[in-house]
Amino acid sequence: MDNPTWMPNRTGWVDFILVGLFPRSRHPALLCLVLFVMLLMALSGNALLILLIRADTRLHTPMYFLISQLSLMDMVYISTTVPKMLMDQVMGENRISAPECGMQMFLYLTVVGSEFFLLAAMSYDRYVAICRPLHYPILMSHRVCLLLASGCWFLGSVDGFMLTPVTMTFPFCHSREIHHFFCEVPAVMKLSCSDTSLYEALMYLCCVLMLLIPVTVISSSYTCILLTVLRMNSAEGRKKALATCSSHMSVVLLFYGAAVYTYMLPSSYHTPEKDMVVSVFYTILTPVLNPLIYSLRNKDVTEALKKMRSVRPAFHDMVK
């Protein structure tokens, strides 16, 4: 048996090895290029969405404030995983130190946990807007929006602070190869040589609660919304309400579906290859798709984008 990667009596840490996506690819250079393009798309798309929301006064509403928080979260967690993977491929180095692994794990858990609750807050916002429109200015005031966003970030950080220290203090005496492209908790736990069954049960319970509470809020909100929409007399009103809600539901299904597979299905359903594919889906594809979902299917955002594009030529003419 190999020496433990870290033991309580030792003073130092030994690096982990991230196996990553590239060894399994027949065309690693092409995959690297595709991932780099997707990273740029995610960062630029989400940054542009945040800029539009900040710049256009018509988008200074609770819904768009929450969407800007979603874009910020997407930018953080794709930046936590993909740049390291690309740099390793370019430099020919796939090592990650234990402190770096712990930091990556903490940031990832914090942002993903925050997004769980933010999606619930966004569904509550749509419920109030459609089902209780007269009370909307009070129930979704600026102060309430700040409290909701702060609460989402806080609850996500609690998840990170709970799981990261415990995971990283287990002794690792199996292979130091993490069969993943970043330090995700289930992949790291497979390297431990101690009994982790109790911790895995507690982690499962924690994940169930973190999924159950938001899913309950989301399902309740959209049940009420659907009943309200069906009672609307205006066809235009029904169309607008369904268009807004369908965008949000698309994001919810993408994100929660992958999270349920990763953290709630028994280990017998998992293989390293499946885990990496699912992780690519919600750590890389979701941040790329979210700005497209909220811009292409949203009239206010497309109009704000057109306005910004029309302002630029006018600004250049003034400069000339």
Side-chain angles (χ1 to χ4, degrees), residues 9 21 35 79 91 207 238 255 282 297 313:
N9 295 330
L21 297 172
L35 290 175
S79 299
M91 303 297 292
C207 292
R238 285 198 301 269
F255 193 74
Y282 74 96
R297 302 190 65 179

Side-chain angles (χ1 to χ4, degrees), residues 125-141 228:
D125 168 73
R126 291 300 82 208
Y127 158 74
V128 176
I130 294 171
C131 301
R132 305 185 64 183
L134 297 179
H135 298 92
Y136 189 75
I138 299 172
L139 295 177
M140 289 301 296
S141 64
T228 302

Side-chain angles (χ1 to χ4, degrees), residues 4-16:
T5 298
W6 181 83
M7 291 294 289
N9 295 330
R10 294 201 172 195
T11 58
W13 298 80
V14 177
D15 293 349
F16 294 106

Side-chain angles (χ1 to χ4, degrees), residues 42 52 56 64 113 115 123 125 168 171-172 243 265 276 289 314 316:
L52 287 173
D56 197 306
Y64 291 110
E115 192 157 328
S123 68
D125 168 73
M168 296 306 296
F172 301 104
L265 289 184
M276 278 195 279
L289 294 175
H316 286 303

Side-chain angles (χ1 to χ4, degrees), residues 174-243:
H174 298 309
S175 168
R176 292 182 291 111
E177 290 188 349
I178 300 174
H179 289 271
H180 216 300
F181 59 89
F182 70 100
C183 291
E184 192 169 32
V185 174
V188 175
M189 288 303 300
K190 290 177 182 177
L191 306 184
S192 178
C193 55
S194 61
D195 183 13
T196 61
S197 57
L198 178 60
Y199 174 60
E200 289 175 1
L202 292 173
M203 183 175 67
Y204 176 81
L205 178 62
C206 175
C207 292
V208 167
L209 290 174
M210 289 195 68
L211 286 169
L212 185 62
I213 295 172
V215 165
T216 301
V217 174
I218 291 169
S219 57
S220 300
S221 298
Y222 279 102
T223 300
C224 295
I225 288 170
L226 183 60
L227 293 174
T228 302
V229 168
L230 292 175
R231 290 196 298 264
M232 286 182 176
N233 295 323
S234 170
E236 184 65 27
R238 285 198 301 269
K239 183 179 178 182
K240 184 176 180 181
L242 290 174

